[in-house]
């Protein structure tokens, strides 16, 4: 069975949905470790309650991105989340990861983004969608490559934008879909049903 490492910075609701699906035996993966770059991330308590080990690596502990990521890699490896036997989920992890980290875990790091990529990458995607006047937005689970929100798409879910939506109401409806597609993507990966062919993924 693969080992899963989840990286968070805050609330951790996506992490929670993934961990709950695992504990209900819906996903065949071992939840090995949750790592946060913030000691007060709410998700840490949630992970502990669900019986998953946690570690904190504060941003200020390291001078550079590469040094920080080396630390993350050593913690992941210590818990069995390796290049050969691991999956890394970014779940609201508010750091850009280094190309070295991406290379080491090629096609083994996935992320959830609250928009239909390639639309509205980066921060505040729901606000970007509203300001653009998009009629539809949604969320995307994708592999992480060296760019920002640019890796191959695994699953997307569409959410209709309402005329009276605020950033808050739209974010809430998108989050509901995130909670469905992220565990689904982890499940597909755990069952080795995702193949990456260049920019495309093939789901079997
Ligand atoms: C989600 O909206 C996710 O798409 C984005 O950050 C937010 C994290 O929320 N990357 P949570 O910590 O999983 O509740």
């Amino acid at each position: 069975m693969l080992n899963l490492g989840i990286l968070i910075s805050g609330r951790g609701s996506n992490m929670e949905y993934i961990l709950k699906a695992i504990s209900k035996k819906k996903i065949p993966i071992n939840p090995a470790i949750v790592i946060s770059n913030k000691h007060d991330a709410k998700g840490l308590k949630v992970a502990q309650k669900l019986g998953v080990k946690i570690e904190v690596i504060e941003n200020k502990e390291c001078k550079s991105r590469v040094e920080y990521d080396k630390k993350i890699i050593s913690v992941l490896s210590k818990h069995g989340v390796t290049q050969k036997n691991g999956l890394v989920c970014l779940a609201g992890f508010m750091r850009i990861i280094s190309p070295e980290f991406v290379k080491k875990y090629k096609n083994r790091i996935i992320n959830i983004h609250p928009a239909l990529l390639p639309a509205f990458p980066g921060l505040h995607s729901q606000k970007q969608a509203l300001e653009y006047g998009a009629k539809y937005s949604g969320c995307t689970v994708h592999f992480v490559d060296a760019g920002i929100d640019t890796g191959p798409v695994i699953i997307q879910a569409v959410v209709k934008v309402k005329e009276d939506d605020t950033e808050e109401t739209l974010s809430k409806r998108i989050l509901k879909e995130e909670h469905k597609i992220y565990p689904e993507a982890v499940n597909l990966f755990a069952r080795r049903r995702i193949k990456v062919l260049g920019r495309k993924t093939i789901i079997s």
Side-chain angles (χ1 to χ4, degrees):
M1 208 187 279
L2 296 177
N3 291 316
L4 172 67
I6 306 181
L7 309 190
I8 62 166
S9 296
R11 180 175 62 184
S13 68
N14 278 289
M15 172 209 72
E16 183 176 358
Y17 273 79
I18 293 167
L19 293 178
K20 284 189 169 158
I22 296 170
S23 69
K24 284 184 197 149
K25 309 265 181 247
K26 288 186 180 160
I27 309 177
I29 198 164
N30 169 42
I33 185 71
V34 168
I35 305 173
S36 170
N37 65 327
K38 302 220 154 99
H39 69 274
D40 56 355
K42 283 195 181 141
L44 287 172
K45 287 207 174 108
V46 178
Q48 271 183 321
K49 261 196 181 163
L50 291 168
V52 180
K53 288 182 193 145
I54 58 161
E55 293 224 20
V56 176
I57 310 171
E58 293 277 1
N59 295 337
K60 55 177 186 255
E61 282 178 44
C62 301
K63 279 189 224 104
S64 66
R65 191 176 307 290
V66 171
E67 195 190 316
Y68 186 93
D69 286 0
K70 269 192 184 156
K71 246 191 176 165
I72 291 250
I73 290 167
S74 80
V75 172
L76 287 171
S77 308
K78 189 173 87 189
H79 292 276
V81 186
T82 60
Q83 302 107 287
K84 283 207 174 133
N85 208 31
L87 170 65
V88 179
C89 284
L90 309 183
F93 186 57
M94 299 304 284
R95 283 184 62 94
I96 293 169
I97 68 174
S98 62
E100 288 81 0
F101 186 9
V102 173
K103 209 170 154 194
K104 196 151 193 178
Y105 284 78
K106 192 163 187 269
N107 294 338
R108 285 189 174 273
I109 308 176
I110 64 178
N111 180 44
I112 180 104
H113 182 76
L116 291 174
L117 291 171
F120 315 126
L123 294 173
H124 310 298
S125 312
Q126 302 92 333
K127 189 164 172 234
Q128 288 186 55
L130 285 174
E131 283 174 356
Y132 190 85
K135 299 289 186 192
Y136 291 91
S137 191
C139 46
T140 305
V141 181
H142 64 95
F143 282 105
V144 173
D145 66 8
I148 309 267
D149 303 320
T150 50
V153 169
I154 302 170
I155 309 183
Q156 295 186 299
V158 177
V159 172
K160 195 169 168 34
V161 179
K162 294 181 182 167
E163 273 163 19
D164 60 352
D165 258 333
T166 61
E167 190 182 350
E168 203 189 347
T169 57
L170 179 60
S171 301
K172 212 171 157 188
R173 289 205 314 289
I174 292 176
L175 191 65
K176 235 177 151 182
E177 297 303 314
E178 294 183 36
H179 293 159
K180 293 181 199 155
I181 66 168
Y182 212 180
E184 198 180 326
V186 174
N187 186 38
L188 290 172
F189 190 95
R191 295 175 191 273
R192 299 175 205 270
R193 287 173 53 194
I194 310 174
K195 242 193 212 152
V196 185
L197 288 178
R199 269 220 57 80
K200 294 184 184 168
T201 62
I202 314 279
I203 316 282
S204 60

